[in-house]
Amino acid sequence: MSLNNNTAELRVKSFYYSLLLFVIVLPFSEALVSIAAAILFLQSLLFQPVTDLKKSLTRHKSIFYILAIFGMYLLGMLQTRDFALSMYELKKVAFWVVIPLGIVLSPKLSEERFYKVITAFCIAVTVAAISAVIRFVFKSAFGITDFRDISLISHIRYSYQVALAIFCCIFLVIRSSKESGGFKYRPAIITMAVWLVLFLFLLKSITGIIAFWSTVCFLGLYYLFTVKRKFNYLLVVILAILVALPIIYTKSVWDDFYNVEKLDPQTVDKYTASGNPYTFNFDSQEKENGHWVQSYICDDELRKEWNIRSECKYDSLNRHGFSNRSTLVRYLTSRGLRKDSSGVSQLTEADIKNIEQGIANYIYAEKRFSLYPRIYETIWEYDRYKATGNPNDQSLSQRIEFVKASLEIIKTNIWFGIGTGNWKAEYAKAYDEQNSKLKEENQRSSHNQYLNYIVKFGLIGFAVIMSMILIPVFKENQEKNLLLWLLLVFIGIANLGDANLETHMGLSFFCLFYSLFLWHSTEQIKNFTFQENTNEKI
């Protein structure tokens, strides 16, 4: 029984509007994303007989490769010892079923509607970015103390959306050059792309920035080796700069951190201007901005002067659970001031507020729009971890412990892994065997998607999952789909720094655009090539 024209149009519109809803709420709300995913799936089942569902599945058999990824988690339940946790894991990765099926069972999008969905996504991400900047500028009014909280969803996962929106803007600009009247939209699209690039660095997600930067380099290499023209030396120079620039910048921050003042125990000043003795710990390697933290300290003067200037008492804890004393000492050190009454008296009212908020280095407050503090913080965490072995409450240090535990588990479960739902018990055992200083509440699985797959499903399961993601690209003749490859390269790199495909927002984002690009890309995107001639410039 064939569908009448009204029903067919209703199906097309229900799919189109459910996609629009999905991409619009994606940067704003995890809860709304769950609702949008459910709507997308349910609308694909409405208004069509079972025979048409079978035709859709037969036409796009590649869907079964993607469904097989969820099947790996089901197969992993054969080893499950914690049924409740295994069911929680299945719930987290259900997007592998819900979103691809919702898209493959729906009617083909027209070219115009495909681009409208992409445009709506870019606009939604841009609006969310503007909202984040407002929250950042007026962070006190919003009760924000950490830059990671300026976005409405996870700042890491949101950075992925920003990066993809930038790449989508590139294709929208290309399209605008090919359609009549499209030129009038180009300035707005280019402005949006430039703004999102700037915002990506403001967001300070190291994982997102590295993945974006690397994908841009991939795009440059793709252009270099696919355009049939004389070797482009200028592009080679630009790519070399793109590779060298982050290395040089990071090296400069590293040098600033480790270029420390020299202190001679025999010649240092022993007393403050008021005649009180300083204390020194020459064995301590703790440093801030090239100055030693545990030097030139006079607690009596610090306590007296600080308690005069602040209601947050010297010997109490701040809102983050750290002592005001330690924050004050580190902050004074970062300013190059001695830790005595004279040093405290030189602090401004802004400095006092920073310390009260738990900010331990002035660069975190004064270089808010720079990537410098984020890189500095990472180096500081590595330095403290190397000196003390304590990884707690430090992003990089904890990730190192996660990786160590993962490798320990993999050593004894290399081929088939530990199965679904067993990771908590296995990681707890690994941390215990390694005598890790990581607190129990901070013990997690690896922030590396590939290690997570190997831990759970072994090398064999890992190879299967990677194959299930890549095979559909070729089965659907999408090997020339540059937009799809940019998504795959970006997520492929980002997965080295986080388990994105086992998080709500990471997996929903990937499944949506992977499925959309795989089955609904326009012919222009599906067979994309850079062309250079006198009539058409890209």
Side-chain angles (χ1 to χ4, degrees):
M1 179 179 178
S2 62
L3 296 171
N4 60 48
N5 291 337
N6 289 336
T7 304
E9 181 61 21
L10 183 60
R11 285 196 60 221
V12 170
K13 287 183 177 180
S14 66
F15 176 47
Y16 172 58
Y17 288 120
S18 66
L19 273 180
L20 282 179
L21 173 65
F22 205 141
V23 299
I24 289 171
V25 303
L26 196 58
F28 294 99
S29 170
E30 184 173 315
L32 290 178
V33 164
S34 296
I35 295 172
I39 293 174
L40 177 66
F41 177 68
L42 291 175
Q43 66 80 31
S44 70
L45 302 178
L46 295 177
F47 314 119
Q48 62 175 319
V50 175
T51 53
D52 283 2
L53 290 174
K54 290 180 179 178
K55 287 180 182 178
S56 296
L57 294 175
T58 303
R59 186 168 62 253
H60 296 296
K61 293 180 181 179
S62 56
I63 182 66
F64 294 105
Y65 291 100
I66 300 170
L67 298 180
I69 299 172
F70 184 77
M72 285 297 302
Y73 286 87
L74 291 175
L75 189 62
M77 290 189 70
L78 295 175
Q79 302 185 61
T80 295
R81 299 187 300 275
D82 187 334
F83 185 75
L85 186 57
S86 67
M87 293 305 295
Y88 173 72
E89 283 204 59
L90 288 179
K91 180 182 176 182
K92 283 201 307 180
V93 298
F95 285 123
W96 281 118
V97 175
V98 174
I99 296 176
L101 276 177
I103 290 179
V104 81
L105 296 177
S106 297
K108 175 76 174 178
L109 278 179
S110 67
E111 178 176 335
E112 181 183 2
R113 282 177 169 166
F114 175 86
Y115 281 112
K116 282 183 177 180
V117 169
I118 298 302
T119 303
F121 168 67
C122 294
I123 293 173
V125 171
T126 302
V127 171
I130 294 171
S131 169
V133 170
I134 293 172
R135 287 163 59 83
F136 183 73
V137 173
F138 301 101
K139 59 182 180 179
S140 297
F142 289 98
I144 295 173
T145 58
D146 193 311
F147 71 88
R148 296 173 178 85
D149 298 327
I150 65 172
S151 58
L152 298 174
I153 61 173
S154 160
H155 81 292
I156 296 176
R157 251 60 70 181
Y158 178 51
S159 71
Y160 302 165
Q161 297 181 25
V162 173
L164 181 61
I166 295 168
F167 295 131
C168 286
C169 283
I170 294 173
F171 281 84
L172 290 174
V173 168
I174 293 171
R175 181 176 185 251
S176 71
S177 67
K178 297 175 179 294
E179 60 178 4
S180 60
F183 181 79
K184 64 182 179 180
Y185 299 111
R186 294 185 72 180
I189 298 171
I190 293 172
T191 300
M192 187 160 53
V194 172
W195 158 246
L196 289 176
V197 170
L198 295 174
F199 176 78
L200 180 62
F201 287 89
L202 172 65
L203 197 57
K204 299 179 184 179
S205 167
I206 296 297
T207 303
I209 291 171
I210 290 175
F212 172 73
W213 203 266
S214 301
T215 308
V216 169
C217 291
F218 164 82
L219 182 59
L221 288 172
Y222 177 86
Y223 180 89
L224 187 65
F225 289 105
T226 56
V227 172
K228 304 302 182 182
R229 57 164 290 172
K230 188 177 180 180
F231 194 71
N232 194 325
Y233 291 100
L234 177 60
L235 182 56
V236 172
V237 172
I238 292 174
L239 286 173
I241 293 173
L242 287 176
V243 172
L245 195 60
I247 297 173
I248 294 171
Y249 188 69
T250 302
K251 180 64 166 56
S252 70
V253 182
W254 179 280
D255 290 341
D256 289 346
F257 185 87
Y258 282 106
N259 185 20
V260 191
E261 62 182 338
K262 299 290 190 296
L263 289 182
D264 185 344
Q266 303 302 319
T267 60
V268 295
D269 295 336
K270 304 295 193 300
Y271 297 95
T272 70
S274 301
N276 295 307
Y278 283 123
T279 61
F280 296 84
N281 181 353
F282 292 105
D283 294 326
S284 172
Q285 294 298 305
E286 191 176 359
K287 57 189 80 70
E288 294 284 352
N289 296 359
H291 304 287
W292 297 109
V293 174
Q294 301 302 326
S295 65
Y296 294 112
I297 298 176
C298 180
D299 274 296
D300 290 339
E301 290 190 14
L302 279 178
R303 181 180 291 105
K304 180 180 178 181
E305 190 68 24
W306 174 258
N307 287 341
I308 292 173
R309 298 200 62 181
S310 174
E311 294 182 0
C312 300
K313 299 306 177 184
Y314 182 77
D315 296 302
S316 64
L317 301 179
N318 61 30
R319 68 181 69 178
H320 302 290
F322 299 106
S323 72
N324 287 316
R325 177 198 180 275
S326 64
T327 305
L328 173 62
V329 167
R330 283 182 58 193
Y331 195 96
L332 286 166
T333 304
S334 75
R335 283 288 190 194
L337 300 173
R338 295 187 177 185
K339 281 71 79 175
D340 55 18
S341 58
S342 175
V344 176
S345 68
Q346 294 180 64
L347 295 175
T348 66
E349 288 303 313
D351 289 326
I352 298 296
K353 289 181 180 178
N354 290 337
I355 297 166
E356 290 174 342
Q357 292 174 3
I359 299 174
N361 191 311
Y362 80 92
I363 66 170
Y364 297 141
E366 294 189 3
K367 295 186 178 183
R368 292 186 299 166
F369 297 98
S370 169
L371 198 57
Y372 187 101
R374 186 67 186 90
I375 298 174
Y376 179 94
E377 181 184 33
T378 302
I379 296 173
W380 182 88
E381 288 180 0
Y382 170 75
D383 182 77
R384 290 290 79 220
Y385 177 64
K386 186 175 64 173
T388 67
N390 182 6
N392 289 289
D393 304 313
Q394 299 171 12
S395 178
L396 175 65
S397 306
Q398 290 185 167
R399 289 174 186 234
I400 294 173
E401 290 291 294
F402 299 158
V403 169
K404 286 182 178 178
S406 299
L407 295 176
E408 183 67 26
I409 296 170
I410 289 170
K411 280 196 302 186
T412 54
N413 303 272
I414 189 167
W415 295 114
F416 298 103
I418 63 174
T420 305
N422 299 323
W423 69 269
K424 274 193 176 180
E426 291 296 329
Y427 271 94
K429 179 182 175 183
Y431 289 125
D432 184 60
E433 290 176 351
Q434 292 181 336
N435 297 315
S436 174
K437 294 182 180 180
L438 198 61
K439 296 176 183 177
E440 185 175 349
E441 60 266 27
N442 292 331
Q443 293 179 2
R444 301 185 183 93
S445 61
S446 174
H447 277 33
N448 180 306
Q449 187 62 70
Y450 308 119
L451 286 179
N452 269 15
Y453 280 149
I454 298 172
V455 164
K456 291 175 182 176
F457 311 118
L459 285 175
I460 292 176
F462 166 74
V464 169
I465 291 174
M466 292 298 101
S467 299
M468 296 303 100
I469 293 174
L470 291 175
I471 288 175
V473 176
F474 300 94
K475 287 287 185 180
E476 296 290 335
N477 298 315
Q478 297 287 347
E479 57 268 23
K480 293 182 179 180
N481 189 330
L482 182 58
L483 191 54
L484 176 58
W485 279 112
L486 290 175
L487 173 67
L488 290 172
V489 170
F490 178 87
I491 289 295
I493 296 169
N495 281 344
L496 292 168
D498 220 326
N500 299 296
L501 303 186
E502 291 181 312
T503 66
H504 183 287
M505 296 304 291
L507 184 57
S508 59
F509 161 76
F510 177 74
C511 283
L512 175 66
F513 286 102
Y514 173 80
S515 302
L516 184 64
F517 297 159
L518 186 67
W519 290 305
H520 291 273
S521 287
T522 65
E523 286 301 313
Q524 179 193 22
I525 291 178
K526 183 179 178 180
N527 298 294
F528 181 84
T529 56
F530 282 110
Q531 298 180 29
E532 290 189 346
N533 55 54
T534 56
N535 298 318
E536 187 175 305
K537 294 183 179 180
I538 292 177

